[in-house]
Amino acid sequence: MEKLIITIAPTGSVPTKKNTPHVSIRPDEIIQTGILCEKAGASIIHIHARNPVDETASTRFSIFKEIYQGLKQETNLILQISTGGRAGMAYEQRSERLSLKPEMASLTTGSVNFPSSVYANSPDLINSLALDMKTHGIKPEIEVFDVSMIQNALDLVEKDVIQTPLHFDFVMGLKGAIPATIENLVHLKNSIPHDSTWTVAGIGAFQLPMCVHAIAMGGHVRVGLEDCIYFSKGKLASNQQFVDRIVQTSEIMGRKIATPDEARKILGLI
Ligand code: ZN
């Protein structure tokens, strides 16, 4: 089976130091986490920015730039910048960071309810972000919160806005999105083109079981405090611990771990 690509998502938009001291907030913390997680076996880092003062999600270009430059200098990780809208929904706020030309960026191809808000991604906005990625030579990671988002991505391929082979991230178990079950994971996998690659991000307690299913099914995995702050019930995790656990689990299951350069080959980045 293909080697396993581990994505680390150390920050996200939600957890703060009050929730867990292990969450990476400042650029130097995110860079340090990237160094540790690369050593542990991660090959992609999914990047969000936070305001250093109040830890809220930020759209500030200078913060994204500092994180991007630090990680590029200190690691060989594939840098994947989020274009998620929790910090600010407007297109301009979400596209500016793409001018950094990371190798990858996230692209959510539809709208979904979050637990207490609407994550709105209009067809125009998705199209514009995808075109920016095409212009800058950035490979999108298509964030799928429900099955319809796969079809939306295929429509963009049809219009030549995004290019194949596609790479998907199935976000499962978030309240409002597709439930995290094996049946749903199999259905998502069977709904994407055969030459696509895919990863799964299980939210909360679903992180570990969904990763185990993905390892067995030939998919890839995303872990990190963006999706889950607990290692086990009541016990807080660090980002590196999550990567260590996947490396151990995958080795027990007989699947080797991809280096960043091997991940680049698998994803068609080189
Ligand atoms: Zn994210």
Side-chain angles (χ1 to χ4, degrees), residues 46 48 82 222 226:
H46 173 80
H48 284 259
S82 170
R222 173 171 122 173
E226 170 165 352

